[in-house]
Amino acid sequence: MNKKHKSVSYAKWGYIFIAPFFIVYIVFSLIPLISTFTYSFFEYYERGLDVVGPNFVGFKNYADLFDPSSYINNGEISILTYAGNTMIMWIMGAIPQLLFSLMLAVIFTSARLRIKGQRFFKTVIYMPNLIMAAAFAMLFFALFNTVGPVNQIITSMGGETVRFFDMTVSARTLVAAINFIMWFGNTTILLMAGIMGIDQSLFEAAAIDGATSWQVFYKITIPLLMPIMVYVAITSLIGGLQMFDVPQILTNRGEPGNSCKTLIMFLNDYISGSKNYGVSGAISVLVFIITGVLSIFVFKTMGWSGKKSKKSKKGV
Amino acid sequence: MGTTHIGTGETKSAKTKTTTARVLSYIFLGFVTLISLFPLYLLLINSTRSHIEINAGFSMLPSMNLPLNFQKAAAGGGLWAGLLNSFIVATASSLLSCYFSAMTAYGIHVYDFKLKKFAFTFIMVIMMIPTQISAVGFVELVYKFGLDNTFLPLIVPSIAAPAVFFYMKQYVESSLPLEVIEAARVDGSNEFRTFNTIALPMMKPAIAVQLIFAFTSSWNNFFIPALILNKPENKTVPILISTLRTNVASGGASADWGMVYMTILIAIIPVVIVYIFVSKHIVQGVALGAVKG
């Protein structure tokens, strides 16, 4: 009775307290999101000082994106090329990132190793995550350009100058390397939280049964950590799809020959240059769909992880 | 955990094995420390070396030309303006996002209302949508209302920060007992006063962590600011860095590298200094929030 009275008299305050968040979200995110989708079906761009459109054109922008002979493409389907570049650079960074982070998380949480100075190491490996990606990329350009310190070392040892930014493989590797350095500390912390969430009695039981640490890792840590690793991998993929700052600055807008151009750099070209809201809207919708599918995956695996851990606890 | 029975039963060979594993672990940790710090070490060293010294050859030791590089980087005043612009935007947006996220989390935690569950689910869903997706509509809106080259579109949207909200919500659930709010009501405090003078101080630890995250992400933000700020006097630091990159020919021979290293150093130093002082809370915050920045 008392409780019911309370909920009736204070309900309006709930709405008042959440109102600013929702109003701002609707004005600055939801309406722009809807208009992004809408413009993807319109011809709407700037030509000089004139604005063309918005004129409804149906799926023309989408058709142009996938037509090799359209004004957007040069004989190839650019959006697929750039999606490919994005995926390649993501994979090159993400695989070492997961391996390193897993090793670090196991080392930090091991009761047998009792690593000292953990706080120092965690502080150091997380730090690159907070550093401005644009500045990090510029630093790598300074270090790896033809007159930079890396080439000075190479030539002083008798080697020839390596033009890192004129070759696809080395330019992509450097983009991946920056992403790796910026994110492996963050992933380590997430995986550590995951390992510490595993029922400790499992490890104790394994120790009593005489399991080797390799067996413990393979038979307990990995299977129980799997849901979190899947979560980490997919959120990293969603982040990877948004890759922009690092390749934009490091490779000077995707050089050599657009081999380091990502999806969001492609999107950026169409918003910032001709303000082509139609084509950039269509690119956004495509990225949104990919991200949406992946997000559903994340939600599913998170639900799955909840069920799994309950089951394992009952089992013990 | 479990040290007693392991300690008694441990054989000599098991002990050696553990020692080997420990040594290998420290070597690995040394290696990742090197990866994380060495680029920054080179940055620091090279900001103290003049352009001529840098071109003369590689060095691991600092020189005396920090003031010279500083003068060159600061010449023209563009960098100062950029730092000030970045500081204004980052301060205002981090304060707004923390205050209103705390308010939203408090609203959903404390009150019972019909749309409470919907509001929470809604925020959790939009947390997954990258900001780049709505950039087209956002930029169009900004230009349509003549807000380009103003800081308003970079500051006001921070009021709706789903990730900050999520962290605050988790915090109030664990550390804001409803009895405290009931007691304040009995004492005649109105709802806003209760939030501002009682709840907000109790949320200080969470707010401190999120202030730093929000400030950092705004300070480092490049994509949206670059689309709406194009007058030289309005540029923020990441945009200046990108201009610097465009100005340097792809080979890099034409740049004054002392000045370039110095500019990079100035761009990242505020965040690094703050981080060194509060790293413990930040690292804990990452583990608790489990939210990507």
Side-chain angles (χ1 to χ4, degrees), chain A residues 1-10, chain B residues 112 182:
Chain A
M1 178 77 186
N2 195 13
K3 205 178 171 191
K4 202 175 175 190
H5 174 73
K6 178 192 129 193
S7 70
V8 169
S9 62
Y10 287 107
Chain B
D112 279 318
E182 284 293 342

Side-chain angles (χ1 to χ4, degrees), chain A residues 129-134 245, chain B residues 215-222 238 267 271:
Chain A
N129 194 251
L130 290 177
I131 288 175
M132 186 187 292
D245 300 18
Chain B
F215 184 92
T216 305
S217 66
S218 171
W219 181 266
N220 296 344
N221 191 11
F222 174 49
V271 168

